[in-house]
Amino acid sequence: MPHIAIEYTSNLEGHLNVQDVVDALHSTAQQMDIFPQWGIRTFATAVENSRVAEDVFGGENGYVHVRVKVAGGRDDATLTKIIDGLHGALSSSLSTLCSERPVGFQLEVFRFDPAITRSGGSIPGSPTQRL
């Protein structure tokens, strides 16, 4: 953990450097010294069908929404460090785009419940690694 899911409206394609946003959020999570390196996952998806604010379908307004899932048990100060750090990275990575066109963005942190979550795989270092 964390799992960082980035959604962006497809009208930003060609204007938004998606890999830069992914890299900014991922490297910020790595540098926080909160998360195990093997647990950080960051991915982005374009949303094809959307409307933002007063736009008609396919209008100029763009939007970037980031959901961050973290394991429970972290205190409020740690959660604040996570949201402030990642929001700062997101803001910085979108600053040029926001100055060139109308774009909104939001970042939310969610705690998952390990009692109702299962994981698996073969990522080195992961406690779920199967040989």
Side-chain angles (χ1 to χ4, degrees):
M1 284 292 161
H3 296 174
I4 303 170
I6 305 160
E7 294 177 314
Y8 59 95
T9 54
S10 61
N11 64 345
L12 295 178
E13 289 181 333
H15 304 280
L16 172 65
N17 187 325
V18 178
Q19 192 60 53
D20 282 354
V21 176
V22 168
D23 292 345
L25 293 172
H26 196 91
S27 64
T28 298
Q30 288 176 312
Q31 294 166 15
M32 288 182 168
D33 203 27
I34 295 172
F35 307 110
Q37 297 298 305
W38 57 261
I40 302 169
R41 286 103 166 97
T42 308
F43 49 92
T45 306
V47 177
E48 293 298 322
N49 299 304
S50 64
R51 289 184 65 181
V52 178
E54 74 283 353
D55 267 355
V56 296
F57 176 76
E60 184 176 310
N61 292 340
Y63 198 75
V64 178
H65 184 235
V66 180
R67 283 188 301 271
V68 182
K69 287 182 9 179
V70 299
R74 293 189 168 92
D75 61 28
D76 288 344
T78 302
L79 291 172
T80 298
K81 181 179 178 181
I82 293 167
I83 191 122
D84 288 348
L86 292 174
H87 186 266
L90 180 63
S91 297
S92 293
S93 68
L94 296 176
S95 65
T96 299
L97 180 64
C98 287
S99 70
E100 295 171 349
R101 61 180 295 149
V103 178
F105 61 91
Q106 179 177 3
L107 186 138
E108 300 174 279
V109 174
F110 297 90
R111 294 180 199 153
F112 82 95
D113 183 350
I116 56 173
T117 303
R118 300 294 180 264
S119 299
S122 60
I123 295 175
S126 169
T128 61
Q129 181 180 4
R130 307 259 190 263
L131 298 176

